[in-house]
Amino acid sequence: FLKSTSSEIRCSATRVLAYYGWPKVFGLLMSCEDTRPDMKATLLAIVGDRRAVPWIIAQYKRTDSLYHDRPAFVLHCKMAYLNALYHLASPKQLPFLESIIRNPKTEGVRRRAGEVRDHITELYPELRRSA
């Protein structure tokens, strides 16, 4: 299925492989233009590929400008991105998370960003001294 001439079939196969944690899926998934970014972020978190962190942060930042007329969808997407970042738990995420915590638009988003930050500092206790 990954060698199909149909991009729809290739991307469907890619999403299934990502869902089951296939580690070689990063490049294939990133090339699937028909996959919603929030779903792609979730799948990349399942795979655990931290190369996705900059892309997920960029998608989070783009969400307001793309969907400003759909506040419930914006909230859904932001929470999906924060959930993905929780599972990827890269220390490189901390400045981004701190910016959300300092400038919240909604309490739920701020609270989740704090939980993600706390999770990272639990995994990397040495960061507590520099945070």
Side-chain angles (χ1 to χ4, degrees):
F1 292 120
L2 292 176
K3 294 180 181 180
S4 172
T5 56
S6 165
S7 65
E8 184 178 339
I9 291 172
R10 283 192 315 273
C11 287
S12 291
T14 298
R15 287 188 292 271
V16 169
L17 289 169
Y19 181 79
Y20 286 101
W22 189 51
K24 298 178 183 178
V25 78
F26 179 80
L28 295 168
L29 189 56
M30 293 307 289
S31 68
C32 289
E33 298 295 325
D34 67 337
T35 304
R36 271 188 16 204
D38 58 318
M39 179 192 301
K40 192 180 288 189
T42 300
L43 292 172
L44 289 165
I46 290 169
V47 173
D49 197 319
R50 287 185 173 172
R51 292 178 292 173
V53 168
W55 180 85
I56 292 169
I57 290 171
Q59 294 306 308
Y60 180 100
K61 291 176 179 179
R62 291 181 61 213
T63 299
D64 282 320
S65 63
L66 292 175
Y67 306 107
H68 64 277
D69 58 334
R70 297 171 57 194
F73 186 69
V74 168
L75 178 60
H76 161 80
C77 289
K78 286 183 175 184
M79 294 303 260
Y81 299 137
L82 289 172
N83 290 338
L85 293 175
Y86 180 92
H87 291 286
L88 294 171
S90 170
K92 294 179 181 180
Q93 301 166 191
L94 290 174
F96 170 70
L97 295 168
E98 290 297 340
S99 72
I100 294 171
I101 293 165
R102 282 190 309 271
N103 188 18
K105 290 193 176 185
T106 64
E107 177 61 27
V109 171
R110 186 189 71 72
R111 185 175 41 250
R112 185 61 176 154
E115 292 168 354
V116 176
R117 179 201 54 204
D118 294 346
H119 176 64
I120 294 169
T121 58
E122 287 172 14
L123 293 173
Y124 300 94
E126 66 277 8
L127 296 173
R128 289 187 196 143
R129 289 182 288 262
S130 63

